[in-house]
Amino acid sequence: MTTKIPEVSSLVQEAAAAFTSQYGGQPSVAVAAPGRVNIIGEHTDYNDGFVFPMALPMVTVIVGRKTESGLCRVKTLTDKADKPFEVEFPAPSSSKPLQPSKPSWANYIKGVVTCFPGVVSGFDAVVTSSVPLGGGLSSSAALEVATYTFLEALTGTKAKSLKDKALVCQKAEHDFASVPCGIMDQFISTMGKKGNALLIDCRSLESNLVPLSDPNVTFVIINSNVRHTLSGTEYPTRRRQCHDAAHTLGKTSLRDATLQDLEKHKGSLSEEVYHRARHAISEIQRTEEAVEVLKKGDYTAFGKMMTDSHNSLRDDYEVSCPELDQLVTIATECPGVYGSRMTGGGFGGCTVTLVKRENVDDLIHHTQECYTGKATFYVCQPAEGAQVLSL
Ligand code: ADP
Ligand code: MG
């Protein structure tokens, strides 16, 4: 079934009504920050490579009001978070720094409140979201970036730059949620622009918008609705293997290596590490090339690179799973599909497919007929990054 993506205004209304019944009175501030999908460039961030995400029309909304109570009170409207859904914690001060605790969902907010450069005297807030939690579309970064944007609007202290803002949100996730994430999610949620994807150089932290607003094509994100437990344990192993491969090749990171370098050192690498490095090196190169062909409007070449990316993640990096492979195979059989790949860390979560708009229904129907699991569909064009909304 295609998921109807709620309007941002209806999320704001829902949150404002909940605010009134929870705290009384009206909120004075409303903000939104989007989830994201990575179109190409997977497992390249920790290899100093390129990633190419776009912001989604699914967003996290926060409405709220400043208080002088010294207390931060927050309620989330999603029942997918861990209980309790309401929390209360003191506004941080140098003598009483906040610590991560239960419920875990509030740690993303506490982390940003702690790392925020302005003075937070207290607030009441309600959070709601159309980004699926834990589905690989980065509800966590959407929550962090929404929190930062909320605090900016509440205190008048603006981040020096969007890059600084994204880095603070990343630090919050590292320190308070203990997730050693890269920079992609927070960058795109902060810097996304409607009708554009964002090419991010994970080494220099430079980023460039790339127009992607042709009404004749669209992305369809398909949630496999599976998550295999391997995802937690395999990630550090892949990171270490890439690090070891770079070391053997005499490079700082695999960003500096070519496939020729890799072939030269093949004898000094285990079969497995060789394949891991081959994915990382080829994917970094593929991402740069894909953006170039996209700029020329060559969707056929771009789509082929998306599918090549999937095959490399499946065969060399071994982070796919039968469900994701099945979804990609089904998609590539459909008319009007340019390319399809798993997106995110792997072992479950979503695929992303570039398709002619006129063939979206064919893709959805064919997937519903053939996929052995239960898929959810989101038809998405690149959307806007974090913003303050009018109430
Ligand atoms: P992803 O970022 O792919 O959605 P993560 O595991 O990184 O998955 O982050 C999901 C977690 O973020 C949730 O389990 C919850 O703790 C927190 N979270 C995200 N959005 C919300 C929300 N709207 N309300 C409460 N918690 C949220
Ligand atoms: Mg996340």
Side-chain angles (χ1 to χ4, degrees), residues 19-299:
F19 182 95
T20 303
S21 62
Q22 182 76 20
Y23 305 112
Q26 303 293 325
S28 59
V29 166
V31 301
R36 62 94 188 99
V37 69
N38 191 22
I39 306 171
I40 193 162
E42 214 65 75
H43 287 280
T44 49
D45 54 348
Y46 50 84
N47 289 304
D48 281 347
F50 294 95
V51 292
F52 190 54
M54 70 181 207
L56 295 175
M58 291 89 95
V59 296
T60 295
V61 160
I62 303 183
V63 304
R65 188 175 56 196
K66 185 175 180 174
T67 65
E68 302 298 335
S69 62
L71 275 183
C72 306
R73 299 193 294 181
V74 191
K75 178 186 172 98
T76 179
L77 300 185
T78 172
D79 58 7
K80 299 278 175 353
D82 52 333
K83 285 184 178 152
F85 300 145
E86 290 141 37
V87 292
E88 194 177 294
F89 54 88
S93 64
S94 47
S95 58
K96 268 194 294 164
L98 292 172
Q99 298 294 334
S101 59
K102 292 281 171 195
S104 52
W105 65 268
N107 290 331
Y108 297 86
I109 298 171
K110 281 185 190 169
V112 176
V113 170
T114 298
C115 301
F116 184 70
V119 179
V120 180
S121 61
F123 59 80
D124 294 336
V126 170
V127 182
T128 189
S129 187
S130 54
V131 188
L133 269 65
L137 302 182
S138 205
S139 68
S140 57
L143 180 57
E144 292 145 18
V145 174
T147 303
Y148 196 115
T149 310
F150 174 70
L151 296 178
E152 284 181 313
L154 215 61
T155 62
T157 304
K158 296 276 279 179
K160 278 205 299 281
S161 66
L162 295 180
K163 183 171 144 186
D164 280 5
K165 178 171 169 176
L167 289 173
V168 166
C169 292
Q170 180 202 26
K171 182 169 163 48
E173 184 150 345
H174 286 183
D175 294 356
F176 274 73
S178 304
V179 179
C181 57
I183 52 148
M184 169 170 67
D185 303 355
Q186 292 80 7
F187 262 55
I188 183 65
S189 186
T190 309
M191 299 173 201
K193 279 275 160 237
K194 193 172 165 91
N196 290 268
L198 190 70
L199 177 66
I200 306 170
D201 180 337
C202 298
R203 169 176 277 174
S204 67
L205 302 189
E206 253 176 57
S207 59
N208 286 295
L209 292 165
V210 177
L212 191 44
S213 60
D214 184 341
N216 299 315
V217 298
T218 192
F219 290 96
V220 178
I221 297 166
I222 307 181
N223 194 341
S224 68
N225 288 308
V226 297
R227 165 119 343 258
H228 297 287
T229 45
L230 269 177
S231 52
T233 48
E234 292 292 302
Y235 177 79
T237 312
R238 296 294 182 287
R239 270 189 95 129
R240 200 182 53 247
Q241 288 172 326
C242 288
H243 183 266
D244 291 351
H247 183 76
T248 305
L249 268 57
K251 308 287 182 189
T252 314
S253 70
L254 290 179
R255 167 74 177 270
D256 296 323
T258 62
L259 289 172
Q260 288 75 21
D261 295 328
L262 182 66
E263 290 310 315
K264 233 190 286 163
H265 290 85
K266 191 172 179 183
S268 327
L269 299 165
S270 73
E271 185 73 16
E272 196 172 278
V273 170
Y274 166 78
H275 283 280
R276 303 300 186 244
R278 192 165 71 171
H279 166 72
I281 296 168
S282 68
E283 183 79 353
I284 293 170
Q285 206 178 328
R286 190 159 36 236
T287 304
E288 270 194 292
E289 286 170 14
V291 170
E292 287 313 308
V293 297
L294 183 67
K295 284 180 181 164
K296 296 187 187 127
D298 188 347
Y299 300 125

Side-chain angles (χ1 to χ4, degrees), residues 39-42 279 282-283 286 302-332 339-344 346-348 350-353:
I39 306 171
I40 193 162
E42 214 65 75
H279 166 72
S282 68
E283 183 79 353
R286 190 159 36 236
F302 184 79
K304 181 176 180 305
M305 288 184 202
M306 287 176 70
T307 308
D308 289 347
S309 163
H310 181 79
N311 295 341
S312 175
L313 288 157
R314 181 192 61 203
D315 300 335
D316 273 346
Y317 222 58
E318 296 187 275
V319 292
S320 188
C321 63
E323 294 86 352
L324 293 171
D325 292 342
Q326 206 192 2
L327 286 172
V328 167
T329 304
I330 293 167
T332 49
S340 182
R341 58 183 287 277
M342 57 158 273
T343 180
F347 304 109
C350 296
T351 63
V352 58
T353 300

